[in-house]
Amino acid sequence: MTRQREEIILRRAVARLRAAVMAVTFGATGGAALFLATAWLLLRGGENVGQHLGLLRNYLPGYSVTWGGAVLGLAYGVVLGGIAGASLAWTYNRIADLRGAATTRG
Amino acid sequence: MVEGVGSEEAQRADGAARQRGGEPAVVIGGGPAGLTAAYELARRGLPAVVYEKDDIVGGISRTVERDGYRFDIGGHRFFTKITEVEALWHELLGDDLIERPRLSRIFYRGKFFDYPLRPVDALLKLGPVEAVRIVLSYLYVRLTPRGEERSFEQWVVNRFGRRLFEVFFESYTEKVWGIPCSEISSDWAAQRIKNLDLMAAIRNALLGSGGGRGGKEKGEIVTTLIDRFQYPRLGPGMMWERCAERCAELGAPTHLRREVVRLRHDGGRVNEVDVRRHDGVDGGEGDGGGEVETIACSSVVSTMPVPGLLRALDPPPPDEVLAAAAKLRFRDFLTVVVVVDREHLFPDNWIYIHAPEVRVGRIQNFKNWSPEMVPDASRTSLGLEYFVQEGDELWSAGDDELGALAARELAWLGLAEEDDVVGHYVVRMPKAYPVYDRDYEQALAVARRHLEGIGNLHPIGRNGQHRYNNQDHSMLTGMLAARNILREAESASGSSATGGAAGPAHDLWAATEDDSYLEAPERGSRSLADRAVPRRLEEDDLAAGDERLEQAIAAAFARYDPVALGGAVGVIAGALVFLLTAVLLLRGDEPLGPNLSLLGHYLIGFQVSWPGALIGALEAALLGFGFGWLLARTINLLVDLAAESVVRECELEGLLDPFDLSRLED
Ligand SMILES: Cc1cc2nc3c(=O)[nH]c(=O)nc-3n(C[C@H](O)[C@H](O)[C@H](O)COP(=O)(O)OP(=O)(O)OC[C@H]3O[C@@H](n4cnc5c(N)ncnc54)[C@H](O)[C@@H]3O)c2cc1C
């Protein structure tokens, strides 16, 4: 392969996001973040534990700043993070495809 | 050992050749190209005879022996991507072809720098002041690139900055070529890196030199970052001595001290050659020359330099052809081998000497090539290499004078004590390097056109085609020439006497011009039988594994589409704000989301209301877009920098060693 061709291949390559990978990554991060944030408040203790974080129950039914809530939060984090990651990847890839097609036609 | 004309073996072989009928193919030169051609012809039963003007075979790839010390002209690594060449080495050398580790460094200002140059190592060793100068001058040219790149100096400065050029390029390149870098055409630099295998370089950077298909089993991957090589136990000359012996056994003798001085042709074919005996003490051209013998031939394979070949034609070519030939220039080479009474001096196979204060350009440590290159393990033989012009003051200096200079320079460099030098030998090699200057391409085209008019004359090899190549390429042209001769023989006899081994006609010059003829080693070596016409190798040769690896590499260096990432983050962020707000609105609690409305600090006009949800979503989408776009740009910048550093490193590597073709031509 000529160097020129290699350069073209390298420069033209547009990264794609893998929905599954993004879902797992965001899911794992989201779940862990929510679990750790809850656990941290519980371990610190004090009065009125998790006054603000507890507001999440508005969106995540059943969630509270308790050990049970931490586990539930983990599950929510995994699911919602996963959905967010997959959607991000899906949207990115669609836009990149559309733009790629437009460039090739142009 | 190869025998001369008068020997019994040679006479027997000559007789055998004649018995098989027809005039022999005359091979001019017993170097790699000529001997390979002779071997190919002989093993297919065609008569051939080799004339070599020196008293030793191997040409530039010879091994000289003096008092038991063996040394190369330069140092000859054996590496190739051509299956047949590799097979021939193994067939003839068997276990005598050993594998050696490679270490070579640059010696500058009393320090050893890693070669290939590694920026961090170089900057650390040069010290903080020099490091800052190099980095600043690099940044300066990156920020203010110059358009003009006519000279080699401009070309390098544009890429690496002036300071790095001054430190690592200027003095060495000028030593090698003998002219200022500002007078060397930038084409030469571009030529050196034109075949750079970017994928291989990146693969190496990512996976190390064993990465990729085949790994070590398929032999070393021949890449720009090679760190091991093959070498005959007794030096490269061993290969060519063996080859000449085998040729003689098969009926193709090599006659030493025989110089072909004239090729008598009838316009379309060479019918006879005149061979001058040099049986004086020196052998070679210098001994005045002896009687001339005329030999009838069926064809001629020539490895003699193109200008000499054209001058030897009888009748002579037109003046304009001779004038063109006179424009083809060469650089000559001189090795002073000094014997140092020390068991160990340095671990490198060779060292590049950049210091402008000394004339030596490179120093070989032959014992590190093969322990059998020295007769006495307690001593070390070093080859100090000087790039010269035939007739200049170094070339003409006496051997003792050169020995003293070498000892002095070694001491100055701090590599050995002058008093420890106990002996020296000098070897001068004229026409070691065909020069690629501004005129050469045009001049070579004129010469080639003329030579192509003579049907049975096959110019091959390094100087035979004015091609700055390695042994394997010379051997390839030898194999192809032999096949063309076989083909001629087959069609003349109307039979397939040689078993149809010749195959279709090969364009010898195309193998010279089309670099892809030899390209892409690790992607599957090519068989010569496939080489009817030169074609790019990569199209159909990419092994599936490599293709996947390359796709992976391309993916690793792929750029993010900033608009797509911005769009995606924007959509997700907008949707999130809208959803969070909508949930609160639909639940209808009072007061409405006092905490969520704090987002209004960032999203102007945002409230927990339906219009607020829309405004917030829009603003979040815009901010998300900006964030995603910036993220993609930043990642792309970093990927570009990583890719650029790999490319620059390869370019550096290719340029730093102007004579080390393995780094680029492979
Ligand atoms: C310093 C240096 C280092 C190198 N390192 C390597 C390396 O590491 N690996 C590698 O593979 N290659 C290396 N090479 C390249 C290698 O030496 C050449 O590619 C190879 O020797 C070319 O072979 P050839 O047969 O084409 O030509 P040559 O080796 O030049 O052989 C031509 C022969 O023809 C003879 N001849 C010329 N004219 C006549 C005449 N009129 N009559 C009879 N005989 C004649 C000459 O005496 C000579 O023996 C190096 C070269 C140099 C200079």
Side-chain angles (χ1 to χ4, degrees), chain B residues 141-463:
Chain B
V141 293
R142 298 311 294 165
L143 295 173
T144 58
R146 305 291 134 95
E148 201 187 32
E149 279 190 353
R150 279 168 50 100
S151 71
F152 173 70
E153 177 172 334
Q154 286 165 334
W155 195 97
V156 177
V157 168
N158 261 354
R159 271 157 194 77
F160 305 107
R162 174 153 300 279
R163 193 58 200 147
L164 199 77
F165 163 77
E166 286 166 355
V167 171
F168 284 111
F169 289 90
E170 196 173 19
S171 62
Y172 189 68
T173 312
E174 291 187 4
K175 262 186 210 178
V176 169
W177 293 108
I179 41 175
C181 292
S182 56
E183 287 174 27
I184 298 175
S185 156
S186 59
D187 292 354
W188 176 71
Q191 168 95 16
R192 294 231 17 113
I193 61 150
K194 131 176 132 188
N195 293 332
L196 197 111
D197 190 340
L198 208 58
M199 287 294 182
I202 294 174
R203 190 170 29 224
N204 273 297
L206 296 177
L207 307 172
S209 58
R213 186 176 60 83
K216 296 242 152 127
E217 306 148 22
K218 161 90 194 79
E220 288 295 345
I221 289 179
V222 187
T223 63
T224 53
L225 305 171
I226 198 158
D227 56 4
R228 296 185 75 78
F229 58 86
Q230 300 181 98
Y231 189 70
R233 202 166 48 77
L234 298 175
M238 185 180 198
M239 165 74 199
W240 303 113
E241 283 157 25
R242 283 272 165 85
C243 187
E245 275 164 22
R246 283 290 293 138
C247 286
E249 282 161 23
L250 293 166
T254 299
H255 299 298
L256 299 177
R257 295 181 219 91
R258 298 290 177 275
E259 181 185 6
V260 173
V261 290
R262 180 172 304 178
L263 290 88
R264 299 170 191 273
H265 65 102
D266 58 16
R269 296 184 71 77
V270 182
N271 301 311
E272 289 170 341
V273 295
D274 284 359
V275 181
R276 171 168 290 144
R277 304 167 78 107
H278 290 285
D279 289 329
V281 184
D282 292 327
E285 278 167 297
D287 67 359
E291 83 192 47
V292 174
E293 196 183 349
T294 299
I295 311 284
C297 59
S298 58
S299 53
V300 175
V301 175
S302 166
T303 71
M304 61 193 280
V306 174
L309 176 64
L310 285 164
R311 281 196 303 269
L313 289 177
D314 181 12
D319 286 347
E320 64 269 21
V321 176
L322 290 174
K327 287 192 183 147
L328 293 174
R329 296 195 310 116
F330 299 86
R331 186 92 170 128
D332 310 296
F333 182 87
L334 183 156
T335 291
V336 184
V337 175
V338 294
V339 179
V340 184
D341 196 10
R342 282 269 174 270
E343 184 170 353
H344 179 80
L345 288 172
F346 49 82
D348 308 58
N349 308 100
W350 70 91
I351 300 176
Y352 300 99
I353 307 296
H354 282 231
E357 295 84 354
V358 288
R359 294 201 56 175
V360 61
R362 214 166 37 184
I363 300 181
Q364 306 284 344
N365 188 339
F366 291 110
K367 194 163 149 175
N368 295 340
W369 286 76
S370 165
E372 292 181 64
M373 299 294 276
V374 291
D376 173 357
S378 69
R379 291 185 164 174
T380 300
S381 62
L382 300 179
L384 281 79
E385 302 177 355
Y386 295 89
F387 308 111
V388 293
Q389 219 56 54
E390 210 173 331
D392 72 11
E393 101 282 359
L394 264 192
W395 180 271
S396 321
D399 289 4
D400 288 343
E401 204 182 321
L402 289 169
L405 171 74
R408 250 193 338 269
E409 297 204 331
L410 266 184
W412 189 91
L413 291 165
L415 293 172
E417 299 287 328
E418 216 170 328
D419 292 344
D420 287 338
V421 174
V422 291
H424 63 261
Y425 314 101
V426 177
V427 177
R428 294 171 181 81
M429 177 53 69
K431 301 191 175 47
Y433 302 102
V435 172
Y436 284 7
D437 56 14
R438 251 170 303 182
D439 294 331
Y440 100 92
E441 248 174 322
Q442 223 178 351
L444 190 58
V446 173
R448 172 184 165 175
R449 258 197 309 281
H450 187 78
L451 292 171
E452 277 174 343
I454 306 177
N456 65 342
L457 175 58
H458 309 268
I460 58 164
R462 183 170 167 111
N463 289 341

Side-chain angles (χ1 to χ4, degrees), chain B residues 34-94:
Chain B
L35 285 172
T36 304
Y39 184 61
E40 288 284 315
L41 289 171
R43 70 170 165 189
R44 300 231 152 65
L46 276 190
V49 53
V50 182
Y51 293 104
E52 166 54 55
K53 71 182 167 74
D54 272 347
D55 53 2
I56 184 173
V57 289
I60 306 171
S61 307
R62 72 187 57 182
T63 297
V64 179
E65 198 205 320
R66 303 272 172 86
D67 301 327
Y69 289 95
R70 305 178 68 89
F71 44 92
D72 303 0
I73 309 302
H76 279 65
R77 280 176 293 155
F78 280 49
F79 54 82
T80 186
K81 64 187 80 166
I82 307 165
T83 330
E84 277 81 349
V85 167
E86 179 90 30
L88 187 58
W89 289 342
H90 285 279
E91 177 192 329
L92 293 177
L93 289 171

Side-chain angles (χ1 to χ4, degrees), chain A residues 1 3 6 15 55 92 99, chain B residues 197-198 519 559 561 595:
Chain A
M1 194 181 310
R3 174 154 180 235
E6 286 172 338
L55 292 173
Y92 169 85
R99 283 170 43 78
Chain B
D197 190 340
L198 208 58
E519 214 173 273
R559 274 88 183 134
D561 180 334
N595 290 296

